[in-house]
């Protein structure tokens, strides 16, 4: 299944990119953008928002349509410490109570590299400002990492310290290919011909999976969902 997704996505990406290179009589554009990715769903339990970037090249096929190819990089490297906790039942003085423990030594990252084929449909606009519906899909190579965790979590009650939880969890590293898609809105404004300033908001999903680690109360992440807020410049030629 993943092999088919990878092959089909690469074929379509190359097909669109070839069209871009051959479209000498079209209005071409190229640009660079910075993105702010906000994790959504189970991915937000593990990571805080992150900045990354992309570059793109495209061409206009009609008054309303534009196709473009994009190279993307996404990197989540800051853990969501407020939500990375474990809950355990411990016996204190002959009674069982539930306690929540921080796990501050846990380190994780998720790095994603990808190429996508995208379309843009103009909703309204003029020679100085345009609004577009944008959508696309791509293929992504990603790396997920979770550090080992060896620690003894203690509690202090009435001046007595208890060894409540002993954690011995080995490190985990995942490498895989996944398909993904995005849909959103874009607003473009002309700065000075031929330079345009773009802002957009999109919902992106990459069909990857981060495995669960039950000893650390980490649930499975079955898809990398995120909101992308992007700003950049493009040059039309």
């Amino acid at each position: 299944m993943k092999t088919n997704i990878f092959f089909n996505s690469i074929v379509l990406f190359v097909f669109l990119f070839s069209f871009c290179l051959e479209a000498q009589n079209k209005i071409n554009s190229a640009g660079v953008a910075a993105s702010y990715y906000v994790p959504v769903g189970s991915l937000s339990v593990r990571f805080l928002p992150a900045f990354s970037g992309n570059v793109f090249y495209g061409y206009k096929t009609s008054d309303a349509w534009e196709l473009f190819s994009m190279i993307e990089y996404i990197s989540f490297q800051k853990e969501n410490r407020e939500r990375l906790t474990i809950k355990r039942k411990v016996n204190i003085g002959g009674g069982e109570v539930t306690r929540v423990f921080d796990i501050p030594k846990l380190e994780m990252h998720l790095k994603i590299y990808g190429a996508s084929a995208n379309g843009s449909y103009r909703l309204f606009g003029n020679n100085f400002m345009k609004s577009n519906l944008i959508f696309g899909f791509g293929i992504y190579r990603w790396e997920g990492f979770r550090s080992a965790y060896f620690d003894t979590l203690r509690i202090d009650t009435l001046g007595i310290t208890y060894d409540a939880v002993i954690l011995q969890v080995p490190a985990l590293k995942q490498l895989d290919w996944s398909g993904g898609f995005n849909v959103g809105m874009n607003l473009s404004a002309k700065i000075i011909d031929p330079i345009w300033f773009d802002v957009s908001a999109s919902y992106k999903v990459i069909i990857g999976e981060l495995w669960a680690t039950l000893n650390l109360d980490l649930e499975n992440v079955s898809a990398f969902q995120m909101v992308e807020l992007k700003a950049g410049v493009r040059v039309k030629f």
Side-chain angles (χ1 to χ4, degrees), residues 22-230:
E22 295 175 0
Q24 301 300 324
N25 60 335
K26 305 289 185 180
I27 298 177
N28 297 269
S29 63
V32 61
S35 295
Y36 184 65
Y37 292 97
V38 182
V40 176
S42 54
L43 189 65
S44 67
V45 175
R46 301 198 183 202
F47 298 106
L48 294 175
F51 286 98
S52 291
N54 56 71
V55 295
F56 59 89
Y57 182 92
Y59 76 100
K60 190 174 182 180
T61 61
S62 68
D63 288 339
W65 284 96
E66 182 178 1
L67 299 178
F68 57 98
S69 304
M70 183 180 299
I71 303 297
E72 306 173 70
Y73 173 66
I74 307 170
S75 178
F76 293 106
Q77 300 200 63
K78 291 186 178 181
E79 302 84 1
N80 189 348
R81 296 296 181 190
E82 291 186 1
R83 301 186 67 179
L84 289 175
T85 60
I86 64 172
K87 185 183 294 185
R88 294 290 188 272
K89 291 182 178 180
V90 296
N91 191 294
I92 300 177
E96 191 175 64
V97 297
T98 300
R99 292 293 179 91
V100 176
F101 300 89
D102 294 329
I103 44 176
K105 297 179 182 180
L106 183 64
E107 297 181 355
M108 296 186 294
H109 71 240
L110 175 62
K111 299 179 180 180
I112 305 170
Y113 311 83
S116 61
N118 300 265
S120 173
Y121 178 76
R122 190 175 70 182
L123 299 176
F124 62 85
N126 51 43
N127 290 331
F128 301 97
M129 184 170 290
K130 298 176 183 179
S131 178
N132 305 286
L133 172 67
I134 53 177
F135 55 90
F137 70 91
I139 185 70
Y140 300 89
R141 176 66 168 173
W142 57 270
E143 173 191 302
F145 172 77
R146 175 190 52 72
S147 67
Y149 208 97
F150 299 96
D151 199 6
T152 299
L153 306 181
R154 299 179 172 87
I155 57 176
D156 192 334
T157 302
L158 300 176
I160 302 175
T161 300
Y162 295 87
D163 290 347
V165 182
I166 298 176
L167 295 174
Q168 297 181 341
V169 183
L172 174 64
K173 185 174 183 179
Q174 295 178 248
L175 290 170
D176 209 345
W177 291 95
S178 296
F181 66 90
N182 63 274
V183 60
M185 298 284 293
N186 169 266
L187 182 65
S188 299
K190 183 187 291 185
I191 300 175
I192 183 173
D193 197 36
I195 302 174
W196 289 68
F197 176 71
D198 294 344
V199 292
S200 65
S202 302
Y203 172 67
K204 180 187 289 289
V205 179
I206 298 173
I207 315 300
E209 180 182 13
L210 294 177
W211 296 336
T213 304
L214 299 182
N215 286 341
L216 296 176
D217 287 4
L218 288 175
E219 300 293 336
N220 182 68
V221 178
S222 58
F224 309 153
Q225 302 179 65
M226 63 198 79
V227 173
E228 179 186 8
L229 305 176
K230 181 164 61 176

